[in-house]
Amino acid sequence: MLMRTDPFRELDRLTAQMLGNTPGTWSRPTAMAMDAYRAGDEFVVCFDLPGVDPDAIELDVERNVLTVKAERRPVATGEQVEMQVAERPLGAFSRQLFLGDTLDTEHINAAYDAGVLTLRIPIAEKAKPRKIAIGNIDTGRRQINA
């Protein structure tokens, strides 16, 4: 149902964590952490975006490719403030997912709460299990009189 698009993006994320947090740019965004699972008749994907303004989040679906983009900007601290520790990642974040044909991309529901973007994608009707009725078949036998 769901495939990751770029296996090297995870390697880039781990390398950035080990070498220090460099802000993502729109041309080279940082990957955002996510969870994905199926719950009944829908597929749920959760993205960690703490500190991101909901207006700074973009969601697009094109040809079964879901793209999530977000930007976390630095907090205005004022002139008399000297930063002591800056570990929270800033900049642009992006993630792309290939959605299978079994998902209904026309009815995606998005909610943002407590820094987590949650997408609920319904399973398409054609992909849901269904019962098939078995009926009697008229064999068309006829009696032949000789």
Side-chain angles (χ1 to χ4, degrees), residues 64-90:
N64 286 2
V65 176
L66 172 71
T67 303
V68 180
K69 293 180 183 178
E71 184 176 14
R72 184 181 302 122
R73 297 188 176 133
V75 177
T77 54
E79 293 180 23
Q80 299 296 323
V81 175
E82 183 180 324
M83 185 62 75
Q84 299 297 311
V85 178
E87 295 180 347
R88 297 172 56 214
L90 301 173

Side-chain angles (χ1 to χ4, degrees), residues 32-39 42-50 54 57-59 66 68 97 107-122:
M32 59 190 82
M34 69 167 227
D35 290 335
Y37 57 92
R38 182 174 176 166
E42 62 185 7
F43 198 72
V44 181
V45 185
C46 300
F47 297 94
D48 278 349
L49 293 170
I57 301 172
E58 293 180 22
L59 291 173
L66 172 71
V68 180
L97 303 173
H107 296 96
I108 295 175
N109 182 1
Y112 184 70
D113 184 41
V116 177
L117 174 65
T118 302
L119 305 180
R120 296 184 176 281
I121 310 166

